[in-house]
């Protein structure tokens, strides 16, 4: 039975990797759409694979969600475009802007600093970007992951409200989440922050599960997965900024004393003040950059492995077949590694946030009761 399950697991991983390859084919609405750009000459069977387009198309954002290609048709989900231009508010589906179309004076820029964004032309004929609050691929993926997170937490809470935990063991979602919550709360938050940790636990636990769910959803190659949420620096900036606010707005007088009046020789104080103030901002910056870089690098690496299949396909059956096998199995390995990375990055972000908050609440030993 174990051997059977092992073979089934390997098969599933191979199917996921293959699905990832085919899910990246097709053309997108904008420069940020997931696509494999294949330029084939009518006289030859050779194809040129735009590797850069594949990678940046996946990790970028777009006004539609590309699912796959069926023959010459691209299966996509058009998303709402909501902008305020010089002529007022506009709301329509992104399908109206496909193939370079202009709708209500708006179109998708194909080059320049606004490439892939909805723009309009000003009186001088220059492209200007209106106020854009459209529901893009990343926004929709963020909504979906948030719904999943809230659903999981409410299901867990519902079980605890209806059962006596002293008489029966948790079941279902509660059994899945309880050991993880206990581990993060007791071994990370409580140990790092110390007394008064309870008021920070809701935020830190929410951050952990939010990052974990988005990391895992990003590995799934088909809808509603595959979006690059935690590999988007805007998202990681928002998370790090909230940690920055909690760290500096809930601290005590000793924290500010150590920054602006450190206990060092007088001639060192000006230097140390600059270093400490600089450190206030480098900590959240490191949080933001670490999560963004690791997740984005993982997506890029998996895509590079998948693209090998298409690049070597025109080199002949022997080379193409051999490299396809290598690519699939290495893709399986990378998928398994990304599952580990998804948890580690959520854990590290939560742990460092707790450590930064805990350090800002430290008191001298003589003042501790």
């Amino acid at each position: 039975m174990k051997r059977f399950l092992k073979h089934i697991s390997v098969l599933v991983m191979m199917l996921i990797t293959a699905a990832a390859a085919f899910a990246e084919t097709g053309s997108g609405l904008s420069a940020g759409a997931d696509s494999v750009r294949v330029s084939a000459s009518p006289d030859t069977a050779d194809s040129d694979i735009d590797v850069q387009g594949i990678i940046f198309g996946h990790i970028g954002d777009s006004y539609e969600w590309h699912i796959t290609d069926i023959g010459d048709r691209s299966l996509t989900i058009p998303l709402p475009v909501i902008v305020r231009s010089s002529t007022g508010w506009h709301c329509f589906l992104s399908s109206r802007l496909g193939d370079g179309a202009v709708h209500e004076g708006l179109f998708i820029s194909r080059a320049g600093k606004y490439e892939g964004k909805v723009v309009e032309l000003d009186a001088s004929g220059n492209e200007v970007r209106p106020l854009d609050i459209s529901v893009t691929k990343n926004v929709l993926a963020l909504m979906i992951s948030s719904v999943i997170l809230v659903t999981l937490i409410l299901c867990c809470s519902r079980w605890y409200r209806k059962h006596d935990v002293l008489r029966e063991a948790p079941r279902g979602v509660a059994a899945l989440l309880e050991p993880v919550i206990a581990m993060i709360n007791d071994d990370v938050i409580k140990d790092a922050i110390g007394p008064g940790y309870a008021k920070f636990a809701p935020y830190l636990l929410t951050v952990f599960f939010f990052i974990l769910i988005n990391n895992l959803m990003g590995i799934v190659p088909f809808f509603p997965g595959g979006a690059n949420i935690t590999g988007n620096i805007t998202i990681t900036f928002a998370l790090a900024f909230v940690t920055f606010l909690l760290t500096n707005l809930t601290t005590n007088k000793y924290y500010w004393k150590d920054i602006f009046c450190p206990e060092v020789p007088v001639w060192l104080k000006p230097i140390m003040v600059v270093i400490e103030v600089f450190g206030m901002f480098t900590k959240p910056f490191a949080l933001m950059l670490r999560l963004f870089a690791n997740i984005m690098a993982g997506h890029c690496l998996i895509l590079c492995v998948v693209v090998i299949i298409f690049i070597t396909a025109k080199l002949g059956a022997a080379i193409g077949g051999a490299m396809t096998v290598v690519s699939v199995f290495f893709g399986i390995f990378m998928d398994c590694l990304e599952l580990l990375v998804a948890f580690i990055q959520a854990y590290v972000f939560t742990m460092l946030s707790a450590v930064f908050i805990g350090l800002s609440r430290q008191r001298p030993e003589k003042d501790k009761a």
Side-chain angles (χ1 to χ4, degrees), residues 60-287:
D61 203 359
S62 64
Y63 291 97
E64 65 181 7
W65 197 313
H66 178 261
I67 305 299
T68 188
D69 282 345
I70 303 177
D72 296 331
R73 298 181 59 186
S74 179
L75 180 60
T76 60
I77 300 176
L79 301 174
V81 175
I82 308 172
V83 297
R84 186 182 188 278
S85 69
S86 57
T87 58
W89 285 98
H90 303 269
C91 182
F92 51 87
L93 289 179
S94 59
S95 56
R96 294 182 177 273
L97 299 179
D99 299 325
V102 179
H103 181 70
E104 297 180 359
L106 302 168
F107 59 95
I108 300 290
S109 176
R110 296 298 178 181
K113 63 178 181 179
Y114 298 132
E115 182 179 1
K117 304 298 182 181
V118 172
V119 296
E120 62 177 339
L121 296 179
D122 60 11
S124 302
N126 299 317
E127 292 184 353
V128 293
R129 190 178 179 192
L131 176 64
D132 192 346
I133 56 171
S134 303
V135 179
T136 61
K137 175 182 175 181
N138 283 348
V139 173
L140 179 59
L142 188 61
M143 293 178 178
I144 293 172
S145 62
S146 298
V147 169
I148 293 174
L149 174 60
V150 171
T151 302
L152 289 175
I153 298 302
L154 290 179
C155 289
C156 181
S157 175
R158 182 170 178 268
W159 189 93
Y160 280 101
R161 287 198 306 268
K162 293 186 175 183
H163 298 83
D164 186 354
V165 295
L166 299 178
R167 295 185 178 182
E168 57 181 311
R171 295 194 302 270
V173 176
L176 177 66
L177 297 184
E178 182 184 21
V180 181
I181 293 174
M183 178 191 69
I184 299 299
N185 185 72
D186 298 340
D187 298 338
V188 177
I189 302 174
K190 185 176 180 180
D191 289 347
I193 299 178
Y197 75 93
K199 63 181 179 181
F200 299 100
Y203 163 70
L204 293 171
L205 285 169
T206 302
V207 164
F208 173 80
F209 283 105
F210 174 81
I211 296 175
L212 179 61
I213 289 173
N214 280 289
N215 288 351
L216 294 176
M217 291 291 289
I219 301 174
V220 180
F222 45 81
F223 182 83
N228 184 39
I229 300 300
T230 43
N232 186 316
I233 199 166
T234 306
I235 301 298
T236 59
F237 168 79
L239 295 174
F241 183 69
V242 175
T243 296
F244 172 78
L245 292 180
L246 280 177
T247 301
N248 293 280
L249 297 181
T250 62
T251 184
N252 54 41
K253 61 181 180 180
Y254 302 104
Y255 173 75
W256 298 112
K257 179 179 179 298
D258 288 340
I259 291 177
F260 295 105
C261 189
E263 295 181 359
V264 296
V266 176
W267 63 274
L268 269 180
K269 285 185 182 292
I271 300 175
M272 291 305 299
V273 168
V274 173
I275 293 175
E276 291 293 338
V277 171
F278 185 70
M280 288 173 54
F281 297 96
T282 56
K283 291 174 182 177
F285 180 79
L287 275 180

Side-chain angles (χ1 to χ4, degrees), residues 43-55:
D43 299 327
T44 65
D46 293 342
S47 300
D48 295 327
I49 305 300
D50 184 4
V51 178
Q52 183 177 348
I54 298 171
I55 295 175

Side-chain angles (χ1 to χ4, degrees), residues 321-367:
M323 292 306 298
T324 297
V325 172
V326 172
S327 178
V328 167
F329 278 99
F330 194 68
I332 293 172
F333 170 76
M334 289 305 304
D335 282 335
C336 294
L337 185 61
E338 281 300 301
L339 290 175
L340 180 62
V341 170
F343 177 84
I344 290 176
Q345 290 305 315
Y347 181 89
V348 169
F349 190 99
T350 306
M351 179 188 67
L352 291 179
S353 296
V355 168
F356 295 156
I357 294 173
L359 289 175
S360 70
R361 297 171 58 80
Q362 293 294 317
R363 295 184 299 168
E365 290 293 334
K366 60 181 180 180
D367 294 332

